[in-house]
Amino acid sequence: MTRRAVVVVVDACGVGALPDAADYGDAGTNTLAHVAEAVGGLELPTLERLGLGAILPLAGVAPVAGPPAVYGRLAAQGPGKDSTAGHWELMGVVVDEAPPTYPGGFPAPEVERLAQVAGHRLIGGEPAEGLAVLERHGPRHLATGELILYTSADSVLQLAAHVDVVAPAELYAACERVRAATDVGRVIARPFAGAPGAFARTDGRRDFALAPPRRSYLDALVESGVEVDAVGKVTDLFAGRGITRAHQAPDNAKGLEAITRLLAERDGGLVFANLIDTDQVHGHRKDSEGFHAAMRDIDAAVAGWLGRLGEGDLLVLTADHGVDPVSAHTDHTREYAPLIAVGAPPGRHDGALADVGATVHRWLTGEDAPGLPGQAFAG
């Protein structure tokens, strides 16, 4: 029997503060619960039936008894609270030390060094929310052509440029040069368009991540002859390692479409997808209504996917971190990830993020991968 696995990461859909969340300034965070409170209750009938309300109390989502899926919470084992750390851990790469962050912004000497590497003068350098920083520095950028540099509480270095001032291809090239000269977790290119007061980021975002420092479950799968289709920013987060085919999905609509198409086209292998809107579009802007709307779209898509699953198929829904709308900051939050897995023997499973990679590997190869962390909950 040919087996398939689909792992869908609902970006930033955290379900409660991890025990060390206070060390990150995130005590008491709970993204999904606080979104539910803000909107007066979630409307997610498919996820409710699969056991979402049994994972944690959620306004609007009933805790059904005996859901027909694996359900629970998964915890990061290593440091960090960004997409790189979360996705890496899901596939068995747990680092001992987080890459550097710049909570006070990039020091002036570092900004000057980065400008020389990038081949462009830079403005900014402070931690900032993505749209706010465009309004702050965009008019000067339009006048001078200087790239807008900013960061966050995560280990990221973001460079933004208006598409009419710096061509996206040159912005990407500048980011590649910076990637080779810095040890931050991700260098992110942020093309944008529009006029002051109405700037908008395009769908041309590209992430230039550090390569995973060690072998992942994706590498192990490919070594075993299993094909891996990556949807959204997954390919960028793994620097292309362990990926057979990449499918761009700059927003949830394209991501959901790609997953649905791959379910129709592929009769084996792994589909590993990221759905970004709950983080990039709604999470950092504390837009709880938009977050809920994105979750409703995902819920409807899952209902359709369930009809496409057959014997030998495994569907895993999870997250990488949180982005709590009631936190004092606009950055990611250090939280548990939800786990819902359809196709495996149902029941509660609380464990590590790496349990997803361990399960997928065993599901698709029939074996465990020596030397990689995680405890499979199905096989």
Side-chain angles (χ1 to χ4, degrees):
M1 175 181 62
T2 301
R3 286 189 156 196
R4 298 187 299 180
V6 180
V7 175
V8 179
V9 180
V10 183
D11 208 310
C13 189
V15 288
L18 284 167
D20 62 354
D23 297 340
Y24 294 78
D26 295 333
T29 53
N30 193 323
T31 297
L32 198 56
H34 290 151
V35 167
E37 293 171 6
V39 301
L42 302 173
E43 297 178 12
L44 304 172
T46 304
L47 296 177
E48 176 180 275
R49 179 167 60 84
L50 294 177
L52 181 61
I55 298 175
L56 76 164
L58 286 172
V61 180
V64 298
V70 178
Y71 63 96
R73 297 196 305 181
L74 302 176
Q77 304 303 298
K81 55 174 183 174
D82 68 357
S83 292
T84 302
H87 285 72
W88 280 8
E89 288 211 21
L90 285 167
M91 291 299 141
V93 179
V94 182
V95 299
D96 299 321
E97 184 177 345
T101 58
Y102 295 87
F106 295 103
E110 179 67 358
V111 173
E112 183 57 34
R113 185 185 76 86
L114 292 170
Q116 292 177 1
V117 171
H120 292 266
R121 293 186 59 81
L122 305 176
I123 51 175
E126 71 272 26
E129 190 277 324
L131 290 182
V133 78
L134 298 186
E135 294 302 334
R136 186 180 310 143
H137 298 298
R140 175 171 164 177
H141 164 73
L142 293 177
T144 67
E146 297 163 302
L147 302 184
I148 301 171
L149 168 68
Y150 63 107
T151 186
S152 73
D154 302 319
S155 184
V156 296
L157 184 161
Q158 309 202 56
L159 290 175
H162 196 287
V163 294
D164 293 336
V165 176
V166 177
E170 172 51 28
L171 178 61
Y172 302 149
C175 287
E176 287 188 290
R177 293 190 288 270
V178 170
R179 168 72 284 164
T182 182
D183 55 358
V184 298
R186 278 183 294 163
V187 175
I188 305 177
R190 293 285 196 176
F192 67 98
F199 289 131
R201 295 186 295 203
T202 73
D203 62 4
R205 165 183 171 158
R206 284 189 60 185
D207 292 52
F208 300 84
L210 288 171
R214 57 183 66 96
R215 183 168 172 263
S216 75
Y217 280 109
L218 298 181
D219 295 315
L221 286 170
V222 171
E223 290 163 7
S224 297
V226 176
E227 295 188 342
V228 176
D229 285 279
V231 176
K233 66 182 181 181
V234 170
T235 299
D236 290 341
L237 294 176
F238 286 85
R241 280 183 39 183
I243 307 298
T244 308
R245 287 174 293 269
H247 307 266
Q248 292 192 347
D251 55 39
N252 277 16
K254 292 182 177 64
L256 296 171
E257 179 185 1
I259 297 166
T260 302
R261 173 174 52 79
L262 290 167
L263 275 171
E265 294 176 355
R266 302 284 184 259
D267 58 6
L270 170 64
V271 175
F272 186 17
N274 172 276
L275 298 175
I276 198 170
D277 286 3
T278 39
D279 178 86
Q280 177 176 268
V281 178
H282 309 297
H284 291 294
R285 302 174 198 173
K286 299 184 180 295
D287 174 13
S288 294
E289 291 289 349
F291 196 112
H292 185 206
M295 291 297 299
R296 290 200 304 269
D297 288 342
I298 293 168
D299 188 84
V302 172
W305 298 339
L306 294 177
R308 295 179 177 270
L309 299 182
E311 186 179 0
D313 288 340
L314 176 69
L315 170 64
V316 178
L317 305 170
T318 187
D320 49 354
H321 51 72
V323 62
D324 194 316
V326 305
S327 66
H329 55 74
T330 62
D331 296 309
H332 297 149
T333 44
R334 175 83 169 171
E335 297 186 46
Y336 289 97
L339 170 67
I340 293 177
V342 180
R348 178 132 198 162
H349 177 85
D350 297 305
L353 289 173
D355 293 358
V356 171
T359 300
V360 167
H361 188 274
R362 183 186 290 179
W363 187 267
L364 295 175
T365 70
E367 301 175 346
D368 295 326
L372 290 176
Q375 179 65 47
F377 52 80

